[in-house]
Amino acid sequence: MVITDRPRRKAAPTRPVEAWEYGPRIDLLEKVTGQAHYLDDIPDLPGTVYAWPIKSPYSHARVVSIDSSRAEALPGVLGVLHRDTLDGLDPGVRVGEYRGHTREHGETADQHFVTTDKARFDGDFLGIVVAEDLRTAQHAAELVDIDWEILPTVFSFAEAMAPGAPLIHEDLGTNLAHEDSFEWGDVEAGLAAADRIIDGAYYTGNVFHHPMEPSGGCLVNFTDEGVDLWFATNKPFSPADQIAEIFGIDPDRVRVRVPPLGGAFGSKKITPAIMGAMAMSRRIGRPVRLFATAEQSFRVTARHAALYRARAGVTNDGKLTALDVRLEVDTGAYFTGARLVTRNMCISSWGAYAIPNFRVRAQTAYTNKVPAASFRGTGKSQTTFGVEALMDRIARELNISPLQLRLQNVPLRGRYIADSWKVQGVEYPADTPPMDADLDRMLLMAAESIGWDGNAGGEGPMEIGARRVARGRGIALSLRHGAQGAGRAYAMATMYGDGTVKISHAAPDLGGGTYNMISTVAARSLGIPQEMVRVGEPDTGHDLHFEGSSAQRTTVQMGNAVLKACESLKRELADGASQIHGGDAQEWTVADGAVSRGSERYPYAGIVQAFAAAPSFEGVVSLKGLGAYSYAPSPDRAFGGLDHWAPGAAAAEVEVDLDTGETRLLQLAVVADVGKALHYGAARTQAEGGAVMGIGLSLFEDLVYEEEQLLNADPFQYRLPLMRDIPEAFDAMLIENGDGPGPFGSKGMSQTSLPATIPAVANAIYDAIGVQVTSVPFTPEKVLSAVRQQG
Amino acid sequence: MLKPFRLLRPGTVAEAGEELERHDDAAAIYAGGAELLLLMRQGLLQPEYLIDIKHIPELHGIRRENGGISIGAAVTHWDLERDGEIRKHYPLLAEAESHVGNIRVRNQGTLGGNLCFADPHADPATPLLVLDAEVELGSTRGSRVMPLDDFLLGMYETALEPGEILARVRVEPLPPGWGVAYQRIERFFRPTLNAAVAARSGGNVVNEVRMAVGCVGPRAVRLPDLEGRIRGLTVEDAVEAIRGARELLEEVLMPVDDLLGSAAYKLDITVVALERALRTSMMGGMGD
């Protein structure tokens, strides 16, 4: 029986909200009635056959021999692909997320199409079986005989970097994958000028993204014409080059189509197994379907583990003078996202505070774990936990309230974080915009929501029933650089004779409401009802490039591209009106569903129809506008392009059982500066969803490796947050100043609440028991051990 | 993905026993499938035959019998959790049943399946040991009755002989004046640990007590030695005795380090759960 004296609560919207901004998103009816076609719902193509991957059961083992003859002899088996049966394909082609990786990092250092020498993690891809039916494929995969030589494993940065450690990529001669550094000011001088130096070390373990829909499935048809690939991804364009490289075909002949996704969080990328399915489709000339399972998903990708070690210089009255950070990052078996993630950790490890002197030095090592890559708020959940836990240690040492310490160190609106900085030792002028949010206000809103004055000092110990508990409260800020990511976004708006508009684009809807955002922007721009707008599914065949729905850039980048496509369509309508009804295009006003000049007024559909009806225009049934958006290209000066700051704040109250270490959230409040919510309900559920994910990452989620294996790669032993873990008092608040670079003043906001929630929970536990738990997740056993340190 | 199997549907316990004898290791008993299908999906178990016992009338019903209650092995957790008689006279069992898995599992899974599967991380066995439950086993050779304590042998191991089926579970109510409590600590969906205590208080003194702990070792166990140490003590002295019984508990429970926690942590929380359950039961009833 749960007893809580914190009443159920949900904050009222911070402004009057129109029905259309709060009602069901356009995609939800189909989803909740089972009509939406996710990847697994797409019907088989004629002649489709089924694939099952062959994966390493060991985390580090040399492949002595592979014998697939028993599998191939099984009736119904159409073929087995592995290192000895590659049809002339180069097994060394890299697959997955590898931007910034070059072959100087080592021939074997990135994830290959097929593993040839040895398995480097539990789940490394060795090959694939294709059969007439799935059961036969699965059975045949078990009949592939592999002779292994088991090798010693390393499962942490420290083990990987220890002298004499087993090498994961022998050709590199080291397990060090990557180094990065970033600094401004003079850290040593800043530390020397401080009254106190306070240090801390905070570890964040590996987790899996765990979307509801498994990661790594596909339907593929490889014909003489090219490759038709359906798969659930956030980046439809990025695999084309890798596919082209493996198969030696023109990237233009690769067509990727993306159905709606059941979540991604960075996990939905091209995999070696998908490439394998493609190779088998090429070999046997039939479409191949690969189903992803939950257990296999855990072996696709993960979040980087990282140790954040820092020394902060502070004055006695609580002003930060310097912050010196070292990061030890564990990228898993392959390079995959090492450069991107390490950089993101570096540029976020100063948190959200005005620090005159800052330095971070990062080292990233290979280990025998599932290769890590992007994860919601890439790199930031690890560093934000570190810096925000350190802030609370400072507050306690200086006897200043955690809220006050933060208020007096946040950069105020208009302030720049630095004038210039060094990236890997090279000096650049700083290229970030001034602070464009009110971090102080966000902190105050979060604290107020849980009824807290911001002073440390938990309640308890006290007895509730037979339990002895203590309660505590904590607060944290997160600061993401907004709209990160390369490439230009394109969208096309097509108006048909019935007055409907279709938006073509390549921004997959990961579940967060991207299609609804697109239709909202189009409807508002054109002044037509949202029901008149149809949103197409991403299809690289349209050649409308977009780097992908990631890094919370979709609203700003794709939203602006859609806005511009609609503006272009409006100009096209004005041109059309002038051709049909006379006058100059400039004389025609296009707004609210009609093209008008003086007292003349024609609905949009009338213009399209007039073209279609003209004998000489036979066949013209639509008018189109193209839109493009990106921020200005810039050299790599640290942030890789940044057009706004995207902050989040969180405040939490926890109850810790002092005898078992079990921790329960009593209250949680998150605040996101969204610029302008394009759909209030969708924006708020993004903030809530991130916070709930943060609860899971704080208290439960952890991938455990032992001996040769990943131990808990299934939903029964990998504990996700449940409904009952969500506190009844749970607020998600939005700040809307209409000042973002996105359509109608919007900003990116989907990754703000997750990184703030983890340290808010950590700091609340610290407040309750007086000892910090310094590694995520805060399991009962770790919390109990901390309680006992306090004595 | 499930391998193909043949479904057999006997009409009586004896017929089911016959099928089981005929197919031996190639067959598995199927009732709710809550545990079985999980293993089949993972490929850990690949029976050629499933003997579906869901429709055998002898395995159903919650019946009053000689002052006690007899529960059919194919009764679901959800039925037990809601049953008025169980809730009124066997609140310890009702409480434990309400924690099994989730509503979908409780709606499918059966008490018999849970006990026969003998997964150490289960809810029902621990309170049933405190209630001195007996099990009735049926086969072509007739039936036999034994204490649940003798039925549970170890991890996934029971006293079922080849061709034998768990038919019913019998429980006697506690005499008037006893209080009961169930404590459950979890990290994943199955309990990390559970403790069930029944006690009869005489003022501040523990006049009678029964205690069981589950999930920590290979099987749920009664703790007769600890019960003996506590009987006749005041609550505070009894709590001290529990705290001082770590070695005894370690010997009896045989905890191991695993994903749920270290052996040392499991012993720590065993002591806490027993202490809390004792205090609650001495106050007369269930509670947090």
Side-chain angles (χ1 to χ4, degrees), chain A residues 452-477:
Chain A
W452 186 34
D453 62 7
N455 287 313
E459 289 176 72
M462 53 192 169
E463 281 177 19
I464 295 184
R467 298 180 308 137
R468 208 164 52 87
V469 302
R471 289 176 176 182
R473 285 166 290 197
I475 196 162
L477 272 181

Side-chain angles (χ1 to χ4, degrees), chain A residues 301-321:
Chain A
T301 182
R303 180 183 68 182
H304 285 72
L307 179 67
Y308 177 100
R309 286 193 290 134
R311 296 184 294 161
V314 285
T315 61
N316 284 331
D317 58 357
K319 279 303 272 188
L320 291 162
T321 63

Side-chain angles (χ1 to χ4, degrees), chain B:
Chain B
M1 193 174 176
L2 294 182
K3 303 268 178 191
F5 55 82
R6 224 174 268 283
L7 190 67
L8 306 173
R9 295 192 130 173
T12 63
V13 169
E15 280 173 36
E18 223 175 284
E19 296 287 9
L20 205 49
E21 277 172 17
R22 185 174 307 137
H23 301 294
D24 197 27
D25 281 351
I29 297 286
Y30 162 64
E35 307 268 15
L36 180 70
L37 290 175
L38 211 60
L39 288 193
M40 288 172 65
R41 274 186 59 129
Q42 290 174 341
L44 296 174
L45 207 64
Q46 297 178 357
E48 284 171 54
Y49 299 93
L50 289 193
I51 303 172
D52 177 3
I53 56 168
K54 267 187 300 207
H55 306 285
I56 298 179
E58 302 153 73
L59 302 179
H60 281 278
I62 302 170
R63 297 197 296 254
R64 277 168 181 266
E65 217 175 72
N66 313 326
I69 203 154
S70 164
I71 303 164
V75 170
T76 65
H77 303 296
W78 177 226
D79 284 336
L80 282 170
E81 173 187 358
R82 287 179 307 164
D83 184 85
E85 179 80 8
I86 300 278
R87 287 166 70 106
K88 190 165 176 213
H89 297 292
Y90 307 87
L92 189 59
L93 180 59
E95 172 72 12
E97 286 289 340
S98 75
H99 289 281
V100 174
N102 54 48
I103 185 67
R104 294 164 297 282
V105 168
R106 293 201 292 281
N107 197 34
Q108 285 294 318
T110 64
L111 177 62
N114 188 290
L115 294 175
C116 291
F117 203 75
D119 186 310
H121 295 103
D123 286 282
T126 311
L128 286 172
L129 286 175
V130 160
L131 296 173
D132 288 334
E134 289 181 331
V135 290
E136 181 192 322
L137 313 179
S139 67
T140 50
R141 306 178 291 277
S143 76
R144 59 181 180 137
V145 173
M146 67 167 72
L148 178 65
D149 209 357
D150 295 341
F151 178 76
L152 299 171
L153 295 183
M155 200 180 287
Y156 309 112
E157 223 189 317
T158 66
L160 281 171
E161 298 282 341
E164 213 168 28
I165 288 162
L166 173 60
R168 303 197 75 82
V169 178
R170 296 212 179 101
V171 192
E172 306 265 309
L174 287 162
W178 285 65
V180 293
Y182 181 68
Q183 286 277 325
R184 182 189 209 264
I185 293 171
E186 68 195 13
R187 173 143 188 241
F188 302 109
F189 295 93
R190 297 177 190 275
T192 302
L193 166 143
N194 59 11
V197 170
R200 188 169 65 79
S201 71
N204 194 31
V205 173
V206 184
N207 280 340
E208 293 286 349
V209 66
R210 299 183 198 169
M211 306 178 117
V213 169
C215 313
V216 179
R219 52 158 286 193
V221 288
R222 268 291 283 275
L223 301 167
D225 292 347
L226 187 57
E227 291 170 12
R229 287 188 199 179
I230 286 171
R231 206 166 283 129
L233 300 182
T234 63
V235 176
E236 289 315 313
D237 287 348
V239 164
E240 278 311 310
I242 293 170
R243 288 178 187 169
R246 258 184 91 99
E247 265 177 43
L248 170 73
L249 289 168
E250 184 166 11
E251 204 183 298
V252 177
L253 298 174
M254 296 185 279
V256 291
D257 294 340
D258 61 18
L259 278 173
L260 300 171
S262 66
Y265 177 71
K266 289 178 194 171
L267 277 177
D268 285 344
I269 57 175
T270 300
V271 169
V272 173
L274 283 172
E275 177 187 329
R276 287 179 181 175
L278 179 69
R279 285 186 192 279
T280 307
S281 59
M282 287 291 289
M283 288 185 288
M286 308 289 308
D288 185 53

Side-chain angles (χ1 to χ4, degrees), chain A residues 17-187:
Chain A
V17 174
E18 309 278 342
W20 64 267
E21 325 174 74
Y22 212 73
R25 293 169 358 200
I26 58 164
D27 54 316
L28 292 188
L29 183 65
E30 283 198 345
K31 285 179 178 170
V32 300
T33 54
Q35 294 174 77
H37 277 205
Y38 290 92
L39 177 64
D40 287 356
D41 304 317
I42 296 173
D44 279 350
L45 300 169
T48 295
V49 292
Y50 300 88
W52 195 262
I54 307 162
K55 296 199 148 198
S56 168
Y58 303 113
S59 293
H60 202 190
R62 194 165 307 285
V63 182
V64 178
S65 65
I66 303 180
D67 178 1
S68 56
S69 54
R70 283 200 303 151
E72 279 160 63
L74 195 68
V77 171
L78 298 164
V80 183
L81 178 108
H82 56 76
R83 69 178 190 185
D84 304 328
T85 60
L86 282 174
D87 311 331
L89 299 173
D90 175 3
V93 176
R94 294 159 295 164
V95 173
E97 190 166 4
Y98 65 86
R99 199 186 324 143
H101 178 272
T102 63
R103 291 226 166 174
E104 292 91 77
H105 289 105
E107 286 291 336
T108 66
D110 218 324
Q111 194 163 11
H112 287 171
F113 161 43
V114 170
T115 305
T116 54
D117 53 348
K118 64 178 185 176
R120 294 176 175 82
F121 70 96
D122 172 353
D124 214 345
F125 180 71
L126 295 159
I128 198 160
V129 178
V130 166
E132 293 284 356
D133 66 280
L134 185 58
R135 189 175 286 124
T136 303
Q138 203 176 4
H139 184 202
E142 291 163 8
L143 297 179
V144 175
D145 297 309
I146 301 170
D147 191 7
W148 296 98
E149 177 197 341
I150 309 290
L151 301 170
T153 53
V154 289
F155 284 139
S156 70
F157 178 94
E159 281 175 29
M161 299 294 285
L167 290 177
I168 294 155
H169 301 280
E170 284 93 344
D171 56 337
L172 285 174
T174 172
N175 286 327
L176 180 66
H178 185 61
E179 289 183 286
D180 203 355
S181 68
F182 180 48
E183 66 183 299
W184 65 74
D186 182 338
V187 162

Side-chain angles (χ1 to χ4, degrees), chain A residues 484-545:
Chain A
Q484 183 190 26
R488 220 162 150 75
Y490 286 93
M492 185 166 69
T494 303
M495 175 153 283
Y496 297 91
D498 62 358
T500 61
V501 173
K502 179 179 178 183
I503 306 295
S504 304
H505 66 98
D509 193 333
L510 313 180
T514 294
Y515 294 0
N516 191 69
M517 179 278 290
I518 288 172
S519 88
T520 303
V521 169
R524 288 181 65 181
S525 168
L526 294 165
I528 59 175
Q530 209 178 340
E531 300 80 59
M532 301 287 279
V533 180
R534 284 178 292 137
V535 181
E537 292 198 343
D539 180 348
T540 62
H542 294 322
D543 267 342
L544 294 165
H545 192 272

Side-chain angles (χ1 to χ4, degrees), chain A residues 221-238:
Chain A
N221 194 20
F222 202 124
T223 67
D224 292 342
E225 308 298 313
V227 175
D228 262 323
L229 173 65
W230 288 260
F231 90 112
T233 184
N234 60 332
K235 295 186 173 182
F237 275 97
S238 72

